[in-house]
Amino acid sequence: MDYDLLVIGGGVNGAAIARDAQGRGLETLLVEKNDLASGTSSASTKLIHGGLRYLETYEFRLVRAALKEREILMSSAPHIIWPMRFYLPHSAEQRPRWMIRAGLFLYDNLARRELLPGSRGVRFSKEFTSINPLKSNYRNGFVYSDCWVQDARLVALMAQDLVARGGRVLTRTEVTSARRSKNETHWNFTLRDENGDLLHGQAKAVVNAAGPWADKVDSNVVAKNRPGQLRHVRGSHIIVPKIEGVEHSFLLQNTDGRVIFMIPYEEDFTLIGTTDVNHEGEPDQVRCSDDEAAYLCQAVSRYLESPLSTDQIVWRYSGVRPLLFEEGKAASKVSRDYSFSMEGSIEKAPLLSVYGGKLTAARELAEDALKHFEGILTMSEPWTASSVLPGGDMGLDFDARMKELREAAPDLEQKVLFRWLRNYGSYAFGMAESPGPCLGDGVYEAELKHVKTNEFAKRANDYLWRRSKMGLRVSPETLLKIEEYFG
Ligand code: FAD
């Protein structure tokens, strides 16, 4: 195994860097110790957003760059990234109206915006003519745009693209050690696969993109003695059966100054999050606590006509934000920006460690990361801003593609076709042409074959919770058949 670049960590940052590098001509190996996106990158709020609330902490660079990324990413993967409108109810005890209006003006105008509609003031009685989920004292507010992303699928597609360009992905394989050779011209690394077998290889450069594990990889894998660069902040979400009237998303201001999202999810559900809690344990051991679940229910119930209770929760998940260490700041106020630490040169094989970041910033972060290797490794120009991810070659008119798909496969359930187009984009047409046997609950063999062959799914859970969210829907009988399929 001889590579130009070894990337440690198959979350969104590792996958974005590895894909970009391979596309620029570097022979790249991406190694993930579990499944792709099994860390923070499947546990987010799933927004490609500028981050309206970061304007309050004057993070204009971060917000502008992220706002710019929204339309770039949407064009590259319109099947998994789409526009979303966010309602912001307003009442007298909250941030003043002028402040929100000024923030939204900046949000609309900080970066070029061609596809997403701008913000405006709303009166809810006019806006929600059929069902209004809000209490009647919330009469006015605002609405603005951001985008939704299938977070774990974004990572799988980047990895699929990396392989299509000649790179290699190893999942369920841990990088256990990487050391510079005696003459320091390259790295010798050791991997341990899921059977416990050790594999050895060489790379000219190493990127540590291990997200919340980055400090640990610095000290234990690449033997770099660095003071902790990261602060671990847990964020949790709950999922409840669809709250009537939640057809669009809501950004709700809580009494503690934080904001909570309430988002339509997977057609039949509502997603609510998130929290900001200092996480003391290992990043592998993260779960949404009962306190966090109760906090989220309470926060949205202040706004809802029918209050929400924890009994209604059907699923909960939690992830650890790898945030930059900033002394003395409250968890929710710590910057969501990223930083790098680089050591190396032409004579000394380089090591780049990545700290922080967001799903939204991953493509741009990858470009910034590779700048560190200019003059050390031979690479071509940046290319990802105008690229298309696998399945994304279907254009921005989703409804027109849906109509074509329905005409191509009139016998398949519309719900299945919709889900396929939303997850797999143009691959949905091939699946619809030969779906194979149905295992139950709208799961056909063609879909399982696709995620196994092209998207590195090895176990039932990879499919149920990351390549899709069918874990929310399948019966025990179907689950058994899916498990049998993955062996
Ligand atoms: P990860 O996704 O954690 O990936 C690191 C990977 O490294 C892991 O899969 C891990 O298994 C692997 N690894 C570790 N050690 C090794 C090793 N030795 N060998 C091999 N592999 C290894 N961002 C947005 O843009 N929009 C949002 O709406 C949003 N919401 C969020 C909500 C919450 C609650 C949280 C927690 C984050 C949110 N984020 C959001 C931020 C975003 O999710 C993260 O910044 C991003 O997913 C981090 O990606 P990563 O690749 O750095 O880390």
Side-chain angles (χ1 to χ4, degrees), residues 411-455:
D411 297 336
L412 279 172
E413 303 98 296
Q414 168 141 339
K415 248 185 148 171
V416 173
L417 294 176
F418 180 84
R419 190 171 63 73
W420 283 356
L421 196 63
R422 267 284 167 241
N423 283 303
Y424 309 106
S426 56
Y427 288 100
F429 287 86
M431 291 180 194
E433 202 176 306
S434 13
C438 180
L439 283 70
D441 303 308
V443 177
Y444 286 79
E445 202 176 83
E447 182 183 3
L448 300 185
K449 195 171 162 196
H450 177 78
V451 297
K452 198 172 175 181
T453 317
N454 300 315
E455 296 186 355

Side-chain angles (χ1 to χ4, degrees), residues 80-112:
I80 60 157
I81 300 174
W82 60 85
M84 209 172 229
R85 292 293 268 173
F86 290 78
Y87 286 99
L88 220 163
H90 189 263
S91 64
E93 77 276 11
Q94 298 172 343
R95 290 163 178 88
R97 185 176 284 273
W98 66 263
M99 187 191 271
I100 299 177
R101 196 169 277 139
L104 287 173
F105 176 81
L106 272 179
Y107 208 67
D108 282 343
N109 294 293
L110 266 178
R112 219 170 78 143

